[in-house]
Amino acid sequence: AQSVDQPDAHVTLYEGASLELRCSYSYSAAPYLFWYVQYPGQSLQFLLKYITGDAVVKGTKGFEAEFRKSNSSFNLKKSPAHWSDSAKYFCALEGQGTGSKLSFGKGAKLTVSP
Amino acid sequence: EAAVTQSPRSKVAVTGGKVTLSCHQTNNHDYMYWYRQDTGHGLRLIHYSYVADSTEKGDIPDGYKASRPSQENFSLILELASLSQTAVYFCASSDAAANTEVFFGKGTRLTVV
């Protein structure tokens, strides 16, 4: 079985601050991990992925994520945050040999105030 | 640019009625998916397909059927719509390879009354 947990349903910060959205996963083998973003009224857009190799992966829109096997986490980071980053962010896991079927976390709604 | 188009974008259906949600992709992708999103939840996989004329059950297939008549088209069918199926439905596609980006449609907001 595989699962993804995003413990912070709502995150609020001011523009210019550093943002970090937490994601933890449960999977018996090496996971493929993704972050997607959903802007209000829009569909999900790919931000970045971790397959193997470097623990820190960089994605679009200035985001990066750090994979930590030791505590099964894949946290999303950006500094500084901008008001346009306000959106809902989803962490997702793809199990090996499952094609591109994703298991999603519940998402984190990020609000960045000007 | 990769494109996944869903229709309709919103629909109100009557309990017990039949609902068909359609999805068309121009990405030339082999894999297509149907997810549902409920308030306070992430997306959950309903059905998916690796190839035309074949569909597979996802994590929550009960109450849903799927049809993949061609590589480009993938439909989700609710034979007897129920109140619990009120949700936003997303269609998506991806390349045949694993660990690849998935492209999502804009979603269909279904309300069952």
Side-chain angles (χ1 to χ4, degrees), chain B residues 40-106:
Chain B
H41 293 274
L43 280 70
R44 292 180 290 173
L45 182 64
I46 306 170
H47 283 288
Y48 61 99
S49 170
Y50 294 137
V51 67
D53 295 322
S54 178
T55 64
E56 306 291 335
K57 294 180 179 180
D59 298 324
I60 53 165
D62 293 345
Y64 302 93
K65 293 183 180 179
S67 173
R68 182 93 181 269
S70 64
Q71 186 194 40
E72 299 81 14
N73 296 294
F74 192 36
S75 298
L76 185 68
I77 304 152
L78 291 66
E79 294 280 1
L80 295 170
S82 66
L83 296 175
S84 64
Q85 293 177 313
T86 293
V88 178
Y89 293 84
F90 287 99
C91 178
S93 74
S94 69
D95 200 348
N99 57 68
T100 186
E101 178 182 352
V102 176
F103 294 87
F104 288 83
K106 293 186 176 181

Side-chain angles (χ1 to χ4, degrees), chain A residues 24-40:
Chain A
S24 63
Y25 67 90
S26 175
Y27 186 59
S28 57
Y32 302 135
L33 296 162
F34 299 78
W35 277 98
Y36 283 82
V37 60
Q38 184 180 30
Y39 296 100

Side-chain angles (χ1 to χ4, degrees), chain A residues 36-106:
Chain A
Y36 283 82
V37 60
Q38 184 180 30
Y39 296 100
Q42 298 187 26
S43 188
L44 280 77
Q45 301 174 27
F46 170 81
L47 273 181
L48 50 79
K49 66 180 179 182
Y50 171 81
I51 304 303
T52 187
D54 293 341
V56 176
V57 293
K58 296 186 183 299
T60 61
K61 308 179 189 295
F63 286 92
E64 65 178 35
E66 183 177 9
F67 170 70
R68 290 190 176 181
K69 184 178 179 180
S70 59
N71 62 356
S72 300
S73 68
F74 187 55
N75 294 351
L76 183 70
K77 303 177 183 180
K78 182 179 180 181
S79 183
H82 189 265
W83 64 266
S84 61
D85 294 326
S86 297
K88 193 164 188 178
Y89 292 80
F90 292 94
C91 183
L93 180 153
E94 177 190 318
Q96 292 189 14
T98 65
S100 294
K101 294 184 295 178
L102 298 170
S103 296
F104 285 87
K106 293 183 178 181

